[in-house]
Amino acid sequence: MELKRIDNIWHFFAAQNQLFLKKEVNQEVQYSFSKNNIKLIHSFNPKFTGQSSLSMAPDSFEMAVKTYAAGQKKFGLPAPMVQVHQRLFFPKELLKLTANFALFVEKDRFNHFRVTLDSFVPRSIRQTHQPINFISENLWKFRYFSETIKN
């Protein structure tokens, strides 16, 4: 049931936003879109959908030079320590995503960013498009998916 829901959500976004959806099924299932030269990839293990990640990066992203990782905030468990003297190289608004996901931000030598959200399981249309649009608006100044869609 969970696999069918995820498949329906991605096909819905492809149809509503007139995007080409590429689906690959091997050891893991991978959905990918491309809009304004920004590639979105959602990959997960079909046997355990909790092992999933969503990655957004420009097509021209090369090997990462700088990396930042922040763990998901969990009730009752201490959050990983963030070094105070460390200067962030990306918009601090993205740190709001750590309330729901583990966040990895990478930067290449041409100042392109790749953002990866771990444990990203799309359960509804709203829970899917909100973090994606939030990332694309902060980094690339456009909405990846149309928000005229109501769930």
Side-chain angles (χ1 to χ4, degrees):
M1 184 64 183
E2 186 79 21
L3 296 176
K4 187 65 176 166
R5 179 185 313 137
I6 293 170
D7 191 58
N8 285 341
I9 286 173
W10 290 123
H11 279 89
F12 174 78
F13 279 121
Q16 290 294 322
N17 295 283
Q18 299 158 354
L19 297 172
F20 178 72
L21 171 65
K22 183 178 177 184
K23 179 181 175 183
E24 295 179 16
V25 180
N26 291 319
Q27 295 292 334
E28 63 179 21
V29 179
Q30 182 174 351
Y31 294 93
S32 63
F33 293 98
S34 186
K35 181 178 181 179
N36 292 351
N37 293 326
I38 305 296
K39 191 167 201 161
L40 180 139
I41 299 171
H42 178 233
S43 59
F44 62 93
N45 182 348
K47 295 178 183 174
F48 181 62
T49 56
Q51 290 180 347
S52 67
S53 67
L54 178 107
S55 178
M56 293 180 70
D59 292 332
S60 59
F61 186 84
E62 292 184 359
M63 189 172 75
V65 175
K66 290 185 177 181
T67 304
Y68 178 84
Q72 178 181 2
K73 295 179 182 174
K74 296 181 181 179
F75 180 74
L77 298 175
M81 295 297 290
V82 176
Q83 298 174 356
V84 178
H85 67 277
Q86 181 180 7
R87 213 174 111 237
L88 297 178
F89 56 88
F90 59 91
K92 291 182 182 180
E93 294 85 30
L94 292 182
L95 291 177
K96 294 176 185 175
L97 294 171
T98 59
N100 299 319
F101 310 105
L103 175 71
F104 299 96
V105 181
E106 298 169 310
K107 182 178 178 182
D108 69 358
R109 63 186 178 134
F110 299 112
N111 292 329
H112 297 135
F113 292 103
R114 175 171 49 200
V115 178
T116 304
L117 302 176
D118 264 356
S119 67
F120 181 85
V121 181
R123 301 195 191 289
S124 69
I125 293 169
R126 181 178 308 250
Q127 290 177 345
T128 305
H129 81 76
Q130 283 180 338
I132 294 170
N133 282 346
F134 184 71
I135 293 168
S136 65
E137 285 176 357
N138 279 305
L139 291 179
W140 300 293
K141 308 298 183 223
F142 74 95
R143 287 189 176 143
Y144 206 89
F145 293 126
S146 171
E147 290 194 13
T148 59
I149 306 160
K150 298 295 178 196
N151 189 8

